[in-house]
Amino acid sequence: MDFVMGGSGNSGDEQEASHAQKGKKAYHRHTAHQIQTLEAFFKECPHPDENQRRQLSRELGLEAKQIKFWFQNKRTQSKAQHERADNSVLRAENERISCENHAIREALKNVICPACGGPPFGEEERQHSLQKLQLENAHLKEEHERVSNLLAKYIGRPISQIDLLAPVPASSMDLLPTSVSKPGMQNPLLDLDLNPGISGNATLPCQFNGITDMEKALMSETAASAVDELIRLLRINEPLWVKSQTDGRYVIQRDSYEKIFPRANHFKSSTARFESSKDSGLVSMSAMQLVDMFLDSDKWVDLFPTIVTKAKTIQILEDGMIGNKSGCLQLMYEQMHILSPLVPPREFYFLRHCQQIEAGVWVVMDVSYDFLKVVSRSWKLPSGCMIQDMPNGCSKVTWIEHIEVDDKSQTHRLYRDLICGSAAYGSGRWVISLRMMCERLAFLAGESAPSHDFGGVITMPEGRRNTIELAHRMVKSFCSILSMSGKLDFPQLSEVNNSGVRVSVRKSTEAGQPNGMIVSAASSLWLPLPHESVFSFFRDEKMRVQWDVLSCGNPVSEIAHISTGFNPGNFISVIRPFVPTESNMVILQECSTNSLGSLVIYAPTDIPAMNAAISGEDPSKIPMLPSGFIISGDGRPDTGGSTSTSANVAPSGGSLLTVAFQILVSSPPLSKELNMESVATINTLISSTIQRIKAALRCSNLD
């Protein structure tokens, strides 16, 4: 194995190349043992020094130059192999990026607006909208300057923008002329822009100076006329009421109604519509108890937590007769919601009047009143209910809802059929919700609850009552967050049957919730399944491992069960997940269902707090941060189980699912970077949960 050395005229590089070439020929003449030894040494040391090369030369019986050239050849060969591998990886990455780029370009051609589901504005339409907004902005600036000058005359000094944003002292408010309040402007006497995430009653941010005698007389006259109309609507069937051909509900026949009760339409828009419905049912509560609860705004929210998210009695104009409340008249505020961030809430400023029309029969009437001159998309025509005492402490309730509304353009396309079909806020929903709540209160009192449902965990009546009250607070808190005020949109999930993710960040300091910054996220989607099937999936604790991140993929067990109604789907449960790293947590959950929809709401809590509530201690201080699901029909008639997902063919007979999560991200203060990181985290969490739910329900092909 002798190597022929190059001539003396070659340079150092040429010599090394020549030796490498000749060494390459000699490489093939090495024995298998020599090659195996050299390969093993190369893995440990690809660049041996001179001493190491001499040692290898002695061990293998090769010349030192042969060893040197072998390592040079091996390094060159390895480098070439690595370069080829790197080139292959880069080519594959380049092809992937090209495919993604092409897919994004195609997607941009078919992009839709996440708010309305329609196509994006063209450049011409965008410029037109921009010019319109600029004109409106200029008009608002002129109006602002005019009002500022007017206020300056009465206050005696110039008004800055900061002054206008701050509450005006009551002494100054008394000097304001009534002409200051223009249609479309918030009356400075009263501001009911309640904080997001707070349900039930709320305090007024500034002093309310009352209502003049002339205004009060006009309100009394309006209420008396509206009560007369409502009584006639309650007692007359045909020709005022006709049965709908689509769903069998009773709706007002417009021609007959306008002949008997002529009035001008409140909204001039061509998209405005009327919603009317009439329904009745038997509830397990006395008429006088219902009347008292209807006239208390706090109890009103407690009775209808899934419909009424905020309420306030602005002023009691008449107290009514002692003992039966007949003649009571009050001015109220109410916010109603369909429990999806895709549907704007409905707000009403209205008069509520109670009148006993005969022994054991009361009428509670609501009618909108344009006192505060605020812009609203909904107007309540004479609506309300007749409550009739029945034997055994029950009542028969006949309910009428009659609304003029203009909210179609503000409602996402997923919910338009449900909302515009008049069923979402119809009288049937009020009657069913009232009946379920009366059942719940009866079970809370222990009159109807089966004892075998307690599972031996909740044995004391006080513990049972505390658990039901804690679950009720959890449901109210969950329902209050779904308006998603000040939301951020993540439209990347906005496909044919999905709405994207809405995210809202708020600071919480109220009792019953953990202190700090709370991030809420919600998304709604259509599923080609009846809402009963979707509800059965979520209420089954055996299926929980398929969607619940709290269980970490581990099984759970129900350790306590309390029925809240005669329907077996209405119950409260305490669930214990088998999570090795989290042995101090239980989950409080409430399930509720009826013919119109269902809900599953849950919140984790620690075992000591739950034990304290079960043992009879006050549960009002236990912090709850609920998450859950709202399930309803899609408002479309079932045409034989069609599950089409084409953009040109509306699917039918399915359900609408809203998924909402809340997480506590930190104690205050919260940095902007952590804020956006938390938003991205919960966006990923809710998106992945939806994918798991669709996979479990075999609906993944909707994407």
Side-chain angles (χ1 to χ4, degrees):
M1 294 186 187
D2 293 337
F3 285 87
V4 179
M5 305 300 295
S8 60
N10 290 346
S11 66
D13 291 341
E14 291 174 345
Q15 290 178 3
E16 182 172 341
S18 175
H19 289 318
Q21 182 66 24
K22 295 176 181 178
K24 185 176 181 181
K25 296 179 181 178
Y27 172 76
H28 297 289
R29 297 197 296 271
H30 294 162
T31 66
H33 170 69
Q34 292 172 336
I35 294 174
Q36 193 173 24
T37 304
L38 290 171
E39 292 277 3
F41 194 89
F42 183 83
K43 291 180 181 179
E44 297 179 2
C45 180
H47 292 275
D49 57 22
E50 186 175 353
N51 291 332
Q52 290 172 320
R53 289 197 299 270
R54 279 200 296 268
Q55 182 179 354
L56 284 172
S57 174
R58 288 192 299 271
E59 290 178 359
L60 300 177
L62 298 174
E63 295 182 6
K65 291 182 179 180
Q66 287 180 293
I67 301 295
K68 177 180 178 182
F69 295 146
W70 188 92
F71 275 94
Q72 288 177 351
N73 292 339
K74 186 64 177 178
R75 286 194 296 269
T76 303
Q77 186 183 50
S78 297
K79 181 179 179 182
Q81 290 174 348
H82 291 157
E83 287 178 351
R84 284 195 297 272
D86 290 343
N87 288 339
S88 298
V89 171
L90 289 174
R91 277 195 295 271
E93 183 71 11
N94 188 37
E95 291 177 1
R96 186 184 65 80
I97 294 174
S98 298
C99 291
E100 288 183 359
N101 189 27
H102 178 72
I104 291 172
R105 291 179 182 276
E106 291 298 319
L108 287 174
K109 296 178 182 178
N110 302 313
V111 70
I112 62 173
C113 173
C116 68
F121 287 153
E123 185 62 30
E124 183 177 350
E125 189 173 357
R126 186 180 291 108
Q127 291 297 328
H128 176 73
S129 299
L130 181 61
Q131 293 175 1
K132 183 179 178 181
L133 289 173
Q134 289 172 342
L135 291 174
E136 291 180 359
N137 191 34
H139 173 72
L140 289 173
K141 287 182 178 179
E142 293 176 1
E143 186 73 10
H144 172 267
E145 185 176 358
R146 188 187 68 79
V147 174
S148 298
N149 294 335
L150 183 61
L151 288 171
K153 291 181 182 179
Y154 287 93
I155 296 178
R157 62 179 177 84
I159 302 296
S160 67
Q161 185 176 5
I162 297 177
D163 293 331
L164 289 175
L165 294 175
V168 182
S171 58
S172 301
M173 299 303 299
D174 294 336
L175 300 174
L176 292 178
T178 57
S179 61
V180 172
S181 294
K182 296 286 185 181
M185 293 179 58
Q186 177 81 16
N187 191 315
L189 291 176
L190 184 65
D191 181 7
L192 284 171
D193 185 16
L194 311 177
N195 291 328
I198 302 177
S199 63
N201 211 355
T203 57
L204 299 179
C206 59
Q207 184 177 354
F208 176 62
N209 292 328
I211 298 171
T212 64
D213 291 339
M214 183 179 297
E215 192 80 37
K216 183 177 178 180
L218 184 57
M219 289 180 176
S220 298
E221 183 180 346
T222 301
S225 174
V227 166
D228 290 340
E229 178 178 326
L230 179 61
I231 292 174
R232 296 178 70 179
L233 289 173
L234 285 164
R235 289 180 168 172
I236 300 175
N237 290 324
E238 294 182 356
L240 280 176
W241 294 94
V242 295
K243 201 168 186 177
S244 172
Q245 298 297 322
T246 57
D247 53 15
R249 290 182 298 109
Y250 282 94
V251 298
I252 288 178
Q253 211 287 329
R254 299 311 313 173
D255 293 337
S256 300
Y257 174 82
E258 290 170 1
K259 289 178 182 177
I260 301 175
F261 306 108
R263 61 160 54 88
N265 292 349
H266 184 76
F267 298 111
K268 307 303 180 184
S269 170
S270 60
T271 58
R273 68 185 188 280
F274 290 96
E275 294 180 0
S276 62
S277 57
K278 181 179 182 180
D279 207 341
S280 62
L282 198 66
V283 301
S284 55
M285 185 176 289
S286 69
M288 197 64 241
Q289 284 179 295
L290 288 176
V291 169
D292 286 336
M293 298 185 80
F294 284 12
L295 296 176
D296 185 315
S297 57
D298 286 334
K299 295 178 181 178
W300 177 250
V301 177
D302 282 333
L303 271 179
F304 302 99
T306 59
I307 304 177
V308 182
T309 52
K310 301 174 186 176
K312 175 69 184 178
T313 300
I314 299 172
Q315 182 166 326
I316 298 176
L317 305 172
E318 297 289 345
D319 290 324
M321 296 178 62
I322 298 175
N324 63 8
K325 293 293 185 179
S326 184
C328 177
L329 177 63
Q330 51 195 36
L331 179 63
M332 299 183 68
Y333 164 83
E334 174 184 67
Q335 184 186 87
M336 294 165 51
H337 202 234
I338 200 64
L339 303 183
S340 170
L342 307 183
V343 181
R346 292 182 178 180
E347 293 184 299
F348 298 97
Y349 296 89
F350 63 98
L351 297 169
R352 174 162 290 180
H353 185 44
C354 174
Q355 184 173 321
Q356 186 176 15
I357 58 176
E358 57 184 78
V361 180
W362 284 262
V363 168
V364 179
M365 182 279 312
D366 295 341
V367 64
S368 287
Y369 191 81
D370 198 12
F371 169 63
L372 298 174
K373 312 296 182 185
V374 294
V375 175
S376 175
R377 295 184 178 274
S378 49
W379 185 260
K380 190 184 289 285
L381 299 169
S383 304
C385 62
M386 181 170 66
I387 309 170
Q388 181 179 359
D389 251 332
M390 302 293 286
N392 302 323
C394 296
S395 303
K396 180 183 179 182
V397 178
T398 303
W399 204 292
I400 287 177
E401 281 296 303
H402 193 190
I403 310 292
E404 188 178 357
V405 66
D406 184 18
D407 63 355
K408 183 175 182 179
S409 61
Q410 303 295 314
T411 303
H412 192 278
R413 59 184 180 81
L414 278 178
Y415 279 83
R416 280 184 197 152
D417 290 310
L418 181 64
I419 300 300
C420 298
S422 303
Y425 292 103
S427 57
R429 187 177 176 213
W430 288 93
V431 172
I432 289 174
S433 299
L434 179 61
R435 183 172 63 243
M436 291 178 60
M437 186 54 65
C438 290
E439 280 185 17
R440 181 192 185 94
L441 294 174
F443 277 50
L444 173 62
E447 299 171 6
S448 308
S451 59
H452 65 270
D453 276 350
F454 302 149
V457 176
I458 306 175
T459 56
M460 299 174 56
E462 295 83 1
R464 180 168 154 272
R465 187 179 302 110
N466 283 350
T467 305
I468 295 177
E469 290 177 354
L470 190 62
H472 182 65
R473 175 160 66 86
M474 176 181 69
V475 171
K476 284 178 59 180
S477 174
F478 178 82
C479 294
S480 69
I481 68 165
L482 288 181
S483 61
M484 302 294 287
S485 177
K487 67 180 184 301
L488 304 170
D489 286 342
F490 287 80
Q492 62 265 35
L493 286 182
S494 186
E495 298 140 354
V496 174
N497 297 293
N498 205 322
S499 66
V501 178
R502 267 66 175 173
V503 178
S504 178
V505 182
R506 73 181 190 276
K507 182 179 179 181
S508 173
T509 57
E510 60 186 291
Q513 288 192 356
N515 291 336
M517 299 302 296
I518 295 176
V519 180
S520 306
S523 182
S524 298
L525 64 153
W526 179 84
L527 295 172
L529 300 168
H531 78 85
E532 296 88 353
S533 300
V534 181
F535 173 69
S536 296
F537 168 76
F538 284 114
R539 63 169 285 198
D540 187 353
E541 69 270 12
K542 296 179 182 178
M543 299 295 179
R544 196 178 192 94
V545 296
Q546 300 190 46
W547 56 264
D548 186 13
V549 296
L550 294 178
S551 64
C552 301
N554 296 304
V556 300
S557 66
E558 185 183 55
I559 61 175
H561 184 107
I562 301 176
S563 294
T564 58
F566 295 108
N567 188 320
N570 296 332
F571 63 91
I572 298 166
S573 56
V574 180
I575 298 171
R576 180 74 179 271
F578 294 104
V579 182
T581 59
E582 183 58 73
S583 60
N584 197 37
M585 181 187 72
V586 293
I587 299 171
L588 179 67
Q589 177 171 286
E590 171 147 356
C591 296
S592 177
T593 186
N594 57 58
S595 59
L596 298 179
S598 310
L599 58 84
V600 177
I601 299 170
Y602 62 92
T605 185
D606 57 85
I607 292 178
M610 198 68 217
N611 285 336
I614 291 173
S615 62
E617 297 182 20
D618 181 14
S620 61
K621 304 299 182 182
I622 297 177
M624 304 291 290
L625 200 60
S627 301
F629 309 94
I630 302 295
I631 313 156
S632 68
D634 57 11
R636 302 163 187 161
D638 191 349
T639 57
S642 171
T643 58
S644 171
T645 59
S646 169
N648 299 320
V649 180
S652 63
S655 59
L656 297 171
L657 171 66
T658 293
V659 184
F661 290 156
Q662 294 189 92
I663 60 172
L664 179 68
V665 294
S666 75
S667 298
L670 178 70
S671 67
K672 182 177 180 181
E673 291 76 13
L674 181 58
N675 190 343
M676 293 311 298
E677 180 182 347
S678 303
V679 167
T681 298
I682 198 169
N683 174 49
T684 302
L685 172 64
I686 199 168
S687 302
S688 60
T689 301
I690 287 174
Q691 296 303 325
R692 289 197 296 270
I693 290 170
K694 290 199 292 186
L697 294 173
R698 299 181 181 179
C699 298
S700 298
N701 59 346
L702 293 179
D703 294 340

